[in-house]
Amino acid sequence: MISIITSWSARKHTFLGFIFQIHQYHQHLFPQNPTQHYASLLQSCIARKAVEPGKQLHTHLCLTGFGYNINLATKLVNLYCVCDKLTNARNLFDRIPKGNIFLWNVLIRGYAWNGPYEGAINLYYQMLDYGHVPDNFTFPFVLKACSALSAIEVGKDIHENAKRTKWDKDVFVGAALIDMYAKCGCVGRSREVFDNVIERDVVVWNSMLASYSQNGHPEDCLTLCGEMACGGVRPTEATLVTAISASADVAGLRQGRELHGYSWRRGFDSQDKVKTALVDMYAKSGSVKVARILFEGLQVKRVVSWNAMLTGYAMHGHANAALGLFNEMVGKAQPDHITFVGVLSACNHGGLLSEGRTYFDSMARDYGIEPTIQHTTCMVDLLGHSGCLDEAYGLITQLKVMPDAGVWGAFLNSCKIHGHVEFAELALERLIELEPDDAGNYVILSNIYAQAGRWEGVAKLRDLMNQRGVKKTAAYSWIEVKNKVHAFLSGDTSHPVSDDIYAELQSLGARMVQAGYVPNITPVFHDVEDDEKRRIVCSHSERLAIAFGLISTPPGTKLLITKNLRVCEDCHVAIKFISKLTEREISIRDVNRYHHFKDGICSCGDYW
């Protein structure tokens, strides 16, 4: 039977020749039951996604009076769906009896897989109107459509129906509900569904892990992964990729190494998807050399693998290495939009204006990739840092879509670097429209006013923040020492060795002043005396983390500190002094990039 399909596909038999082969085959094998004959042949077409032979057979069935046989028609609908011929599937569906729930499920699945996703949802409600009760296949299919559309209200309604029909505890339905809520940003609802599923299989666990990881809860993802291991659930490739990615998001080198060892012991060391996740994790956790070794060991380097290594180099400010890797990639893999985000970020972090312009222009011309908001943000940042503020503003105004907060934020920061008050005021107006509660934007313009001596502007912004109830985002930094994470807020005194930390800072401060350090108190937004401003600057969270690292590790130990916000200008200067005076290598991973300090020099070259 399969040989018939293969023969047709290979030699493009005519309709009459194809039917002749069918009759020969059927007369030999199924002399008494033609429905069974056709069902068997249609199943072969479905298995091989052979839509053209299927169409020929459909015509033959119509000519011989079997065109509206419910079993054969259902298989034809299934064939058209798996071959992404939804118009054919729907036309046939509308002409046949609909008493078979499998028929409904097949077409709902077709829309959920291939779109339009609204078709799956509409068909689901039409099915209810026909009096059918959804089963544990219906719910996952229609919920997949809700996920694709982020249709949270529809998803909630379907969830309620799943509860009424007692399918909400099913593993397939549970996994689909978890995914739907995750795609809509409702992680708490995802967890409620997860906790409600009694007999959890690995798919349900993986869905919840992905829900945490994709919604900015990497710590919860890693915690749940530990619970999964303790529960004796054997992980899959998807489990490890998700957990390793969560480690990368928190720069959790220890957890990442543990997962690396676990994947090796469990035989996943040959899986390129796991290896690619490890490349990303090591690069984001500061071990870019280890990342490159793993990258070179990949059996097949997919685009996502090249992107992971390239963006890793960009994040560390290794612009030449990133661009060299891109040149190596061309010809071996097709660059995509993420590739160019990495390339432009590398140019941005390396101050390579000419190269950035060249790559930005080549995207559409040479690769057919239209620049997105992400690419434009990189270029605005690069142009702005280089002092080309008029060109950066022109690029923003030429955007075909509405500029987002990332674009205007990059422009505002560039205005701060060059003290351009008018452009900064314009940028803040747009940012207030987009994210009115982000205090960081107000603070940046306040600093620009302060640098220009426009103190009335500083006071006006402070009043505006008070009127709107805008609060500054709490800055915090953390460091891992002896397998334990220690976190600090600015001015924090809650740590058990807080007295020792501040004593170390005071000692360092005296040595730094002797070496020529002068605190920059301009960024301090509080209306306090200058001495208090100096105290505030000198107790920023990253300095507390560094001081704790200095007193808690042997001399010469490298320190890695992670911060949730951008490192401030004064701390950047101070850490250069600290690295030289203590003869330590200090790496800071802030919200934008890595800064590697050694012998009083930062890897960014003060271009950030």
Side-chain angles (χ1 to χ4, degrees):
M1 181 163 46
I2 291 177
S3 64
I4 295 177
I5 307 299
T6 305
S7 173
W8 191 95
S9 300
R11 290 180 282 172
K12 300 187 182 302
H13 280 240
T14 64
F15 172 73
L16 291 175
F18 178 59
I19 296 304
F20 177 73
Q21 289 192 51
I22 293 173
H23 276 299
Q24 281 188 319
Y25 183 76
H26 287 166
Q27 288 171 1
H28 173 71
L29 195 61
F30 300 115
Q32 301 299 325
N33 191 343
T35 302
Q36 186 179 352
H37 308 168
Y38 296 131
S40 182
L41 189 55
L42 280 170
Q43 194 59 45
S44 294
C45 291
I46 293 168
R48 298 178 69 84
K49 296 186 177 180
V51 69
E52 292 305 325
K55 286 181 178 180
Q56 298 278 22
L57 183 54
H58 187 185
T59 302
H60 177 71
L61 291 173
C62 291
L63 292 174
T64 54
F66 289 96
Y68 296 107
N69 177 283
I70 185 62
N71 292 329
L72 297 178
T74 299
K75 287 188 178 295
L76 280 166
V77 171
N78 193 10
L79 170 65
Y80 289 135
C81 286
V82 299
C83 296
D84 194 14
K85 302 292 181 181
L86 269 297
T87 301
N88 301 68
R90 186 59 189 256
N91 287 338
L92 179 56
F93 175 87
D94 288 339
R95 287 170 171 78
I96 58 177
K98 301 174 179 60
N100 179 358
I101 192 172
F102 178 74
L103 172 65
W104 291 87
N105 286 346
V106 162
L107 190 54
I108 290 172
R109 180 192 64 190
Y111 284 125
W113 281 359
N114 304 304
Y117 304 114
E118 294 86 354
I121 295 171
N122 293 336
L123 201 62
Y124 165 80
Y125 284 110
Q126 188 179 345
M127 185 184 79
L128 297 182
D129 291 340
Y130 265 76
H132 291 299
V133 178
D135 62 13
N136 60 331
F137 292 97
T138 316
F139 286 117
F141 296 149
V142 71
L143 286 167
K144 180 177 176 64
C146 293
S147 298
L149 295 169
S150 296
I152 182 64
E153 294 305 322
V154 176
K156 287 178 179 178
D157 183 62
I158 294 170
H159 186 186
E160 289 302 314
N161 198 16
K163 289 179 181 178
R164 287 192 294 271
T165 54
K166 308 299 183 185
W167 282 117
D168 59 315
K169 291 180 172 59
D170 177 80
V171 289
F172 298 110
V173 178
L177 283 166
I178 291 168
D179 181 67
M180 183 274 295
Y181 282 121
K183 292 291 196 306
C184 296
C186 302
V187 183
R189 295 295 293 268
S190 289
R191 185 59 196 244
E192 289 175 12
V193 174
F194 176 81
D195 291 336
N196 193 47
V197 178
I198 308 302
E199 302 274 338
R200 302 182 193 123
D201 65 359
V202 68
V203 176
V204 174
W205 283 93
N206 286 350
S207 296
M208 193 63 231
L209 290 171
S211 176
Y212 278 137
S213 181
Q214 294 166 5
N215 284 280
H217 298 272
E219 297 92 347
D220 293 325
C221 177
L222 293 171
T223 300
L224 188 67
C225 187
E227 293 175 14
M228 178 180 175
C230 292
V233 181
R234 184 176 176 82
T236 63
E237 180 184 67
T239 313
L240 288 169
V241 169
T242 302
I244 292 167
S245 297
S247 297
D249 289 340
V250 294
L253 188 57
R254 176 178 58 85
Q255 297 98 319
R257 283 173 174 163
E258 289 176 358
L259 288 164
H260 188 180
Y262 183 86
S263 66
W264 182 79
R265 292 192 301 273
R266 291 286 185 169
F268 289 97
D269 54 308
S270 61
Q271 301 291 325
D272 278 352
K273 288 184 179 179
V274 174
K275 279 189 174 180
T276 296
L278 287 167
V279 169
D280 185 54
M281 182 277 297
Y282 278 112
K284 288 181 177 176
S285 301
S287 300
V288 70
K289 291 181 180 178
V290 178
R292 185 59 189 258
I293 292 169
L294 286 169
F295 173 78
E296 293 299 339
L298 289 170
Q299 296 176 5
V300 178
K301 294 183 177 72
R302 299 173 297 137
V303 173
V304 66
S305 309
W306 290 94
N307 289 348
M309 192 67 245
L310 198 154
T311 53
Y313 276 136
M315 190 177 191
H316 286 270
H318 302 326
N320 291 329
L323 299 184
L325 189 69
F326 175 77
N327 292 332
E328 184 183 340
M329 174 187 181
V330 174
K332 296 180 179 179
Q334 180 64 33
D336 61 12
H337 70 284
I338 296 175
T339 311
F340 280 98
V341 171
V343 168
L344 294 173
S345 294
C347 294
N348 184 22
H349 291 160
L352 305 177
L353 179 59
S354 176
E355 291 86 345
R357 284 180 172 138
T358 299
Y359 284 117
F360 187 76
D361 292 339
S362 75
M363 287 176 59
R365 184 187 66 235
D366 300 330
Y367 300 95
I369 300 172
E370 287 298 324
T372 66
I373 284 286
Q374 288 177 294
H375 303 112
T376 303
T377 300
C378 292
M379 278 306 298
V380 167
D381 206 16
L382 175 57
L383 290 166
H385 269 74
S386 303
C388 305
L389 290 173
D390 288 320
E391 186 178 349
Y393 181 67
L395 190 60
I396 296 173
T397 59
Q398 292 168 16
L399 275 171
K400 297 177 182 178
V401 296
M402 181 71 70
D404 66 2
V407 173
W408 286 114
F411 189 61
L412 177 61
N413 190 60
S414 298
C415 294
K416 177 186 175 184
I417 293 170
H418 299 287
H420 200 300
V421 176
E422 290 75 17
F423 271 152
E425 290 174 334
L426 173 64
L428 183 63
E429 286 179 14
R430 301 293 182 269
L431 284 164
I432 288 175
E433 294 171 3
L434 294 166
E435 43 184 24
D437 297 325
D438 190 327
N441 299 323
Y442 297 85
V443 173
I444 291 175
L445 181 55
S446 173
N447 292 341
I448 296 172
Y449 281 145
Q451 290 168 3
R454 294 176 56 170
W455 302 108
E456 73 285 353
V458 175
K460 181 180 177 181
L461 276 176
R462 186 183 297 116
D463 291 340
L464 182 61
M465 289 180 67
N466 290 333
Q467 291 170 11
R468 292 174 176 263
V470 177
K471 304 287 185 184
K472 285 185 66 176
T473 301
Y476 62 92
S477 302
W478 63 94
I479 181 173
E480 185 172 328
V481 176
K482 297 177 182 177
N483 296 330
K484 183 179 180 182
V485 175
H486 301 261
F488 301 88
L489 294 167
S490 292
D492 202 339
T493 58
S494 63
H495 197 278
V497 294
S498 182
D499 290 344
D500 296 332
I501 291 171
Y502 278 96
E504 178 69 12
L505 282 177
Q506 188 173 6
S507 173
L508 275 173
R511 294 168 62 192
M512 288 161 59
V513 170
Q514 289 180 349
Y517 167 68
V518 178
N520 175 14
I521 60 174
T522 303
V524 178
F525 199 53
H526 301 283
D527 185 15
V528 292
E529 297 296 328
D530 285 354
D531 286 345
E532 179 62 13
K533 288 184 178 181
R534 292 188 190 92
R535 188 196 66 77
I536 291 171
V537 166
C538 294
S539 60
H540 277 183
S541 62
E542 54 265 60
R543 297 202 205 186
L544 296 176
I546 290 171
F548 175 75
L550 292 172
I551 65 176
S552 304
T553 59
T557 303
K558 295 180 182 179
L559 302 181
L560 171 61
I561 288 87
T562 307
K563 185 175 182 180
N564 69 321
L565 301 176
R566 187 174 180 270
V567 64
C568 81
E569 292 89 340
D570 186 68
C571 284
H572 191 267
V573 172
I575 298 168
K576 288 195 290 183
F577 276 96
I578 293 171
S579 71
K580 185 174 182 64
L581 293 171
T582 62
E583 298 181 350
R584 298 275 196 131
E585 289 185 40
I586 302 171
S587 294
I588 305 288
R589 179 191 176 182
D590 71 7
V591 71
N592 290 328
R593 60 171 296 166
Y594 268 94
H595 295 268
H596 299 284
F597 299 89
K598 184 179 179 181
D599 297 328
I601 299 171
C602 180
S603 60
C604 73
D606 296 335
Y607 186 90
W608 58 290

